[in-house]
Amino acid sequence: FQLVTTGTEKTDSTNSVFLSHCDCFVVYKDRTPERIYAFYPQEQKWSSFAVDGMSPPPRRYHTFVFFNSSAVVLFGGFMGWQRPNVKPPLNDVWLLTISEAKPRWILLEPKNTTLQHSTSRPKARAGHVAVVIDLRLL
């Protein structure tokens, strides 16, 4: 293994997910959601991409999980850089699409469904775990 870095900027909460679409690890840096970083292990190379449209607010202690071969889901965490107990955790859900010419964040809103399904979001949380199974975030 070879140590590869993107620079000297310190960060509290960085997450990565491997996507087969690009054969790369997509990295979400907590302080810069408007930029996405990708590491290509075969080439030992880093790239940085600007993200189109609105981006989620910076956060830490969130989850960033594989959704499908060209998308990742971001959920929850604490917003900003205050100590965790200063602001309540978030419960927003964002989809990052990688398959387009430029990556794009999409804020996902709950659908109105039948009475047997809840239309509310999950409780706000931070420091949690998440997984996607059958296109459902658990």
Side-chain angles (χ1 to χ4, degrees):
F1 290 97
Q2 176 184 2
L3 178 62
V4 180
T5 63
T6 59
T8 58
E9 178 183 340
K10 291 183 180 179
T11 183
D12 287 339
S13 188
T14 299
N15 299 84
S16 65
V17 172
F18 184 80
L19 294 182
S20 60
H21 168 75
C22 60
D23 246 0
C24 67
F25 288 93
V26 175
V27 179
Y28 173 83
K29 288 181 72 177
D30 49 9
R31 297 183 189 192
T32 56
E34 68 282 352
R35 294 204 65 76
I36 294 300
Y37 298 86
F39 178 67
Y40 300 87
Q42 296 295 327
E43 301 158 18
Q44 294 286 299
K45 161 181 118 168
W46 283 97
S47 293
S48 171
F49 303 95
V51 180
D52 274 349
M54 182 173 69
S55 294
R59 63 191 66 214
R60 59 184 174 170
Y61 304 113
H62 53 276
T63 53
F64 186 67
V65 297
F66 174 87
F67 183 71
N68 63 32
S69 65
S70 58
V72 179
V73 175
L74 172 74
F75 173 69
F78 289 112
M79 187 166 78
W81 303 110
Q82 303 291 329
R83 294 188 62 79
N85 59 359
V86 174
K87 291 185 180 182
L90 301 163
N91 71 341
D92 54 347
V93 180
W94 293 81
L95 183 72
L96 175 66
T97 60
I98 308 291
S99 61
E100 302 165 7
K102 270 192 168 180
R104 188 178 109 159
W105 284 110
I106 301 167
L107 177 60
L108 301 178
E109 298 289 346
K111 285 183 177 180
N112 289 328
T113 60
T114 63
L115 292 176
Q116 67 191 94
H117 294 92
S118 171
T119 59
S120 64
R121 295 173 190 260
K123 283 186 175 182
R125 61 194 72 205
H128 57 286
V129 296
V131 65
V132 173
I133 299 175
D134 293 330
L135 301 180
R136 297 176 69 191
L137 179 65
L138 305 174

